[in-house]
Amino acid sequence: MTVSLEQLRRCHVAVDLGAARTRVFVKGAGLVVDEPSVAAVNTRTGALIAVGALAEKMTGRTPDYIRVVRPVSGGTVVDIEMAQRMLRHLLGEKLRRQLRRKPRLRAAACTPHDSDPLAQRAAVETLVGLGARRVELVDTLIAAAVGCGLPVEQPTATMIMVCGAATTQVAVLSLGAIVTAERIPVGGDAIDHAIIQHLRHHHELMLPSQSVRPLQLALSGNGLTPHGPASTEIHGRDVATGLARSVTVDTAAVREAIHTPLTAVLDGIGKVLRDCPPDLVADLADRGIMMVGGSALLPGLDQMLRDATGMPVHIAERPDVCAVLGLGAMLEGKVQPMILDPLGDHRGLADDRDDDRGRDRDHAYADDLTE
């Protein structure tokens, strides 16, 4: 998965296949696709009915012969054929025609940190099926760090936290590479599920999780912080009767329910800091943690991390699209690698001259022995 910036500059399109949303960046055109990673299929005919936002609205509202599928789970393509069909419809005929005109279409894709070879192969085959002759894979952590403007190529520590729908990735970067990283199987979906289970067990209420995000209902105001509203009204369906019902929920209880899955995230951050060299940890005390990803906008999450780690925590300007924008910046040549040894050529010539003199002395000594 190691790829040079020179190879990325030859690519024409960058793709970020996420569990929640799919984003496509085309060189020269910018971000052209930002849609949910959802497709609706007619099981009788196999035809694709809808993709993106329209398919997401169909979730939980379809008849038996229509199935809503998510071909990407946890940043990994689990259904290659459906992912290809979804991408074709999201790109549109006009854009696909423009890409087909490229003599040797090259593509770049984001892959989660420490992904297995099968997951990498699935991402490659998905883009090869769209006409790409060559696919370059870039770690999501590095792409997101570049997209939010972190100086990843400098010899200073930068800590990034990618909050996705299915996973959370934490890493310390220096000199354009990952020093230490951790991938935690807890994301925005786990937090949503914790809220749904809390309301089901304590209030016997079922939420329409697909039509309305539970976080937007239960975490109004400052949400996770104690300064938020004391209570909030939730609308849902009664578990016993099946009728619509509204209940007033204590926000503090919801906050406690959310803290349970977030404990694993805090443990992952602690493990990364323990594995990090002391010199880099000293840099992180000043620079802090940069949060990216759609779940980074969870109200109060940044304050919770400040209290738990004692370090500054920042949220990127556009956290949801940082990864694909960083990949696009690499495609367009906006990222320059750091020259570690600018005088290396001169020293190399001097070393070569010294080696030549040494070889001459060795040859002269060998001739004397022969005589």
Side-chain angles (χ1 to χ4, degrees):
M1 201 163 58
T2 302
V3 58
S4 66
L5 290 174
E6 187 59 35
Q7 290 173 312
L8 288 175
R9 290 192 189 101
R10 300 173 186 171
C11 296
H12 307 94
V13 59
V15 180
D16 180 15
L17 283 168
R21 302 184 72 86
T22 294
R23 300 175 177 91
V24 180
F25 185 99
V26 176
K27 184 186 290 187
L31 188 64
V32 295
V33 173
D34 186 2
E35 293 282 342
S37 304
V38 189
V41 186
N42 188 330
T43 56
R44 296 175 181 173
T45 62
L48 204 61
I49 297 175
V51 295
L54 181 57
E56 191 177 41
K57 292 180 181 179
M58 294 182 180
T59 305
R61 297 182 172 87
T62 59
D64 294 338
Y65 66 92
I66 296 179
R67 185 167 58 97
V68 178
V69 297
R70 291 181 177 270
V72 185
S73 176
T76 302
V77 179
V78 294
D79 190 341
I80 297 176
E81 181 184 358
M82 188 57 62
Q84 291 175 351
R85 296 176 66 184
M86 181 186 71
L87 271 175
R88 288 193 192 100
H89 283 77
L90 289 177
L91 287 173
E93 183 62 32
K94 181 179 179 181
L95 186 56
R96 281 190 288 129
R97 194 182 303 116
Q98 293 176 359
L99 294 177
R100 280 198 296 265
R101 293 173 185 169
K102 306 291 183 182
R104 288 186 61 85
L105 180 63
R106 290 173 175 251
C110 292
T111 55
H113 176 70
D114 203 19
S115 58
D116 57 88
L118 288 177
Q120 298 179 22
R121 183 177 179 85
V124 171
E125 289 187 1
T126 300
L127 297 183
V128 167
L130 294 178
R133 298 294 185 90
R134 184 181 177 90
V135 179
E136 308 290 354
L137 300 180
V138 180
D139 199 303
T140 304
L141 291 165
I142 296 179
V146 172
C148 61
L150 291 178
V152 293
E153 72 281 356
Q154 298 298 323
T156 57
T158 54
M159 191 170 187
I160 188 166
M161 179 176 172
V162 180
C163 308
T167 59
T168 299
Q169 305 174 65
V170 185
V172 175
L173 310 177
S174 180
L175 291 174
I178 297 174
V179 179
T180 176
E182 188 72 17
R183 185 180 175 190
I184 306 130
V186 174
D189 292 344
I191 298 173
D192 290 355
H193 183 70
I195 297 176
I196 293 172
Q197 292 301 314
H198 170 79
L199 295 176
R200 184 184 180 95
H201 293 156
H202 293 82
H203 299 276
E204 297 182 352
L205 193 74
M206 293 182 65
L207 284 182
S209 58
Q210 298 298 333
S211 59
V212 180
R213 282 185 61 86
L215 292 177
Q216 297 177 357
L217 293 173
L219 296 179
S220 56
N222 293 325
L224 287 176
T225 62
H227 306 291
S231 61
T232 182
E233 189 176 7
I234 303 292
H235 305 278
R237 190 182 74 180
D238 190 277
V239 174
T241 64
L243 301 177
R245 184 164 63 93
S246 300
V247 297
T248 301
V249 179
D250 184 12
T251 309
V254 177
R255 188 163 62 244
E256 290 299 324
I258 289 176
H259 276 239
T260 302
L262 290 180
T263 304
V265 177
L266 297 177
D267 293 341
I269 294 176
K271 186 177 185 303
V272 169
L273 292 175
R274 287 193 300 271
D275 296 341
C276 188
D279 292 339
L280 295 182
V281 175
D283 293 341
L284 295 176
D286 299 328
R287 305 181 67 89
I289 305 173
M290 177 66 74
M291 295 175 59
V292 301
S295 300
L297 298 174
L298 180 65
L301 180 58
D302 53 342
Q303 185 61 44
M304 177 186 173
L305 293 178
R306 289 189 192 98
D307 297 339
T309 61
M311 295 191 303
V313 178
H314 314 282
I315 300 177
E317 185 177 353
R318 300 180 63 187
D320 51 341
V321 295
C322 279
V324 71
L325 291 182
L327 207 52
M330 296 180 193
L331 263 62
E332 294 183 340
K334 296 179 180 179
V335 180
Q336 299 295 330
M338 180 180 178
I339 301 176
L340 296 178
D341 192 4
L343 302 177
D345 294 340
H346 303 291
R347 280 200 291 266
L349 292 175
D351 293 341
D352 291 341
R353 285 194 291 269
D354 292 340
D355 292 341
D356 291 339
R357 296 192 191 100
R359 278 194 294 269
D360 292 339
R361 286 194 299 267
D362 293 340
H363 290 316
Y365 180 66
D367 293 340
D368 293 340
L369 291 179
T370 304
E371 292 177 354

